[in-house]
Amino acid sequence: MPVEFFNPPAAILASGSKLGVELGGSKSILSIDTFHNLYSEGNIFSELSWGAFYQEEGLEDQIDTFETKEFDSVREDPEALVKTIIESIYNIINNEKLFYGIADFEVDAFLNQNTIIPGLKLDYTIINKLLDAHKKTRDADLFPQILSDAKGAHRIKIEFQGTKKKNLHLIGTKLEELADILRMAKGFATGIVCTSRGAANLYIMSDNIIFQEDILPDLYIDEENLAIIEMGIERELLFPISWFRIDLGIKSLETLELWDIIKDHPKLKKALERYEKYITSLVYKKFQVMTEKIGTDFEEDFYEMSPAERRQALRDMAEAIRKLTDEYKK
């Protein structure tokens, strides 16, 4: 089911023509709303260049010159990075959304023989097919179009594909349900962005995402999804755009290169504590409805607990509800 991605980074929309291609990448903080729509909240890194092809016979697909079109980065500046994260967190809270994760989109027009996304390894024959398909996409001008709403916000339609797509397209219809899923989420998913029927499809090739405190599972290659992509490309139904990696949940901040330097920043810690209280209140709201049905009410005691005690209480509540549900079904 398609959702909308508001203010998507330029890298996910990179295009090209017979004259050249857009190359570069981006790293953004993403949020999610009740309807599963995604929003770019803060830009950590964004670079897009135009690679012009040689205009000589036999060299038409080789880059001759590069011209920088866009460059913006805070990933190597601790203070600027902290400011971006803090502003994103408070914006998420104030607009009643959730911290979804950190997304990387990398565009190389599939000119490299290896993927450029950490954690994803594909056979070079697949890369060659993606390269050929990208050329056809350039020549036929089949890249996705940006949409705009009445307020001028840019957005595109996106859809997650793959046997484990529920790890990114979360199951839930209320914000508190999504909050309960994301509060424990960690790990990442990688894959390929393809356009089809006006939407950007994110085909998940591999992931190690979990929603509990446990060891991360080994990465894998989704062979079924890979076969679907190959078939779609052969039938000219899918057109590859870029690589992607999404690190899920608030724990995705720990993947930032400067995390060890910024993690103890007082203002950042305060923002993270505020976000934890916000999430905790949402999750409590979910379980409160359930516990009230069985005559349990401990709201006052709950908010007097320490953050660690509240997390444990929520885990205990979740386990109790699960057991009660199992008993009810019997």
Side-chain angles (χ1 to χ4, degrees):
M1 178 180 177
V3 296
E4 294 194 319
F5 189 174
F6 288 83
N7 297 317
I12 197 177
L13 301 165
S15 61
S17 68
K18 293 180 179 179
L19 299 178
V21 291
E22 289 182 320
L23 306 168
S26 67
K27 182 186 285 286
S28 308
I29 294 172
L30 302 187
S31 67
I32 188 173
D33 66 15
T34 306
F35 305 103
H36 297 258
N37 297 316
L38 298 181
Y39 300 78
S40 289
E41 294 290 349
N43 179 48
I44 296 173
F45 172 78
S46 180
E47 180 182 16
L48 203 63
S49 298
W50 177 258
F53 294 129
Y54 282 98
Q55 297 302 301
E56 300 176 25
E57 187 176 350
L59 298 175
E60 299 92 339
D61 294 329
Q62 295 186 35
I63 304 295
D64 180 16
T65 61
F66 289 92
E67 178 186 356
T68 300
K69 298 177 61 178
E70 173 186 308
F71 181 81
D72 184 26
S73 176
V74 298
R75 64 180 178 180
E76 297 175 351
D77 184 336
E79 287 299 322
L81 179 58
V82 166
K83 183 174 183 291
T84 296
I85 296 172
I86 290 174
E87 289 179 350
S88 298
I89 289 174
Y90 284 121
N91 189 56
I92 289 169
I93 295 172
N94 292 337
N95 288 281
E96 298 183 337
K97 294 183 286 188
L98 301 170
F99 192 111
Y100 183 74
I102 294 178
D104 288 271
F105 295 97
E106 298 288 343
V107 187
D108 67 347
F110 303 98
L111 295 171
N112 296 319
Q113 288 194 342
N114 297 295
T115 69
I116 54 178
I117 288 291
L120 178 61
K121 295 181 179 180
L122 297 177
D123 189 272
Y124 76 94
T125 57
I126 301 300
I127 307 297
N128 286 338
K129 289 183 180 180
L130 294 171
L131 171 61
D132 292 339
H134 193 275
K135 184 179 185 306
K136 291 180 180 179
T137 305
R138 299 195 300 266
D139 293 345
D141 191 25
L142 293 169
F143 292 95
Q145 298 296 310
I146 299 178
L147 305 177
S148 295
D149 61 21
K151 297 180 180 179
H154 292 96
R155 70 187 194 277
I156 60 172
K157 292 180 180 179
I158 67 167
E159 187 168 0
F160 293 109
Q161 307 287 354
T163 57
K164 293 189 178 181
K165 66 179 181 180
K166 64 179 173 42
N167 283 351
L168 290 183
H169 188 93
L170 309 176
I171 305 301
T173 58
K174 297 181 180 179
L175 197 65
E176 51 265 35
E177 293 174 344
L178 299 179
D180 188 31
I181 296 170
L182 281 171
R183 70 189 176 93
M184 300 291 286
K186 64 179 179 179
F188 64 89
T190 63
I192 303 166
V193 181
C194 295
T195 178
S196 177
R197 292 177 296 182
N201 290 263
L202 279 67
Y203 283 85
I204 304 166
M205 292 289 94
S206 184
D207 88 277
N208 63 358
I209 293 172
I210 58 172
F211 300 95
Q212 58 188 21
E213 293 180 348
D214 203 349
I215 299 173
L216 289 175
D218 292 332
L219 291 166
Y220 63 94
I221 294 296
D222 189 336
E223 299 293 348
E224 181 179 329
N225 213 20
L226 196 55
I228 291 172
I229 292 176
E230 288 190 74
M231 186 182 301
I233 287 174
E234 289 173 0
R235 296 181 179 181
E236 298 187 354
L237 299 173
L238 292 178
F239 308 93
I241 304 296
S242 62
W243 307 100
F244 77 86
R245 168 171 166 150
I246 296 177
D247 289 82
L248 200 63
I250 195 72
K251 292 181 183 294
S252 63
L253 291 172
E254 298 173 9
T255 67
L256 297 174
E257 293 179 9
L258 295 183
W259 178 250
D260 287 339
I261 296 174
I262 68 172
K263 64 181 181 181
D264 293 322
H265 193 290
K267 291 184 178 179
L268 177 59
K269 291 179 70 174
K270 182 179 179 181
L272 290 171
E273 288 171 359
R274 176 69 185 87
Y275 183 74
E276 182 176 358
K277 290 181 180 179
Y278 168 67
I279 288 295
T280 300
S281 65
L282 285 172
V283 178
Y284 179 80
K285 180 180 178 182
K286 171 188 173 181
F287 290 120
Q288 185 182 39
V289 173
M290 299 177 181
T291 54
E292 283 177 351
K293 292 180 180 179
I294 57 174
T296 304
D297 186 2
F298 55 91
E299 182 173 2
E300 184 176 341
D301 292 338
F302 180 80
Y303 285 109
E304 289 180 355
M305 297 178 182
S306 68
E309 290 172 334
R310 285 199 295 267
R311 287 195 295 271
Q312 183 60 51
L314 288 173
R315 285 196 290 269
D316 292 343
M317 289 168 68
E319 179 62 18
I321 293 298
R322 186 189 65 78
K323 290 181 178 178
L324 287 169
T325 302
D326 290 342
E327 289 296 323
Y328 176 78
K329 289 181 179 179
K330 293 177 181 179

